[in-house]
Amino acid sequence: MKLVNISNGPRGAYLKGGTLVMAEAGETIEGDFDDVNDEWFAKDGTKAAKAADPLDHDGDGKKGGVAPAKD
């Protein structure tokens, strides 16, 4: 299974054998994972994985940019 770190910082997931695999923000990792936090990871290729690139600040599908001002 391929997982994408959709959070804004490094996160980890455990393989079924108990080994911790770390991923930087936006990085994809692959393995046979035991239990995955869906707030931190999404399956590669899913809408959540594509929409949640932590380096796409303005939501245009490209890394970088500036997020709109919040009131």
Side-chain angles (χ1 to χ4, degrees):
M1 168 186 333
K2 288 185 178 181
L3 299 175
V4 178
N5 178 351
I6 59 173
S7 72
N8 60 0
R11 300 288 187 249
Y14 285 97
L15 296 172
K16 289 195 176 185
T19 303
L20 176 64
V21 179
M22 296 296 294
E24 294 294 326
E27 182 179 3
T28 301
I29 55 177
E30 186 173 3
D32 190 14
F33 296 98
D34 193 19
D35 188 26
V36 178
N37 183 326
D38 60 0
E39 291 181 23
W40 294 349
F41 291 97
K43 288 184 180 178
D44 188 33
T46 62
K47 185 176 179 181
K50 292 177 185 176
D53 183 349
L55 301 178
D56 177 11
H57 304 295
D58 57 5
D60 68 355
K62 303 175 192 169
K63 295 186 184 331
V66 177
K70 295 179 184 178
D71 294 334

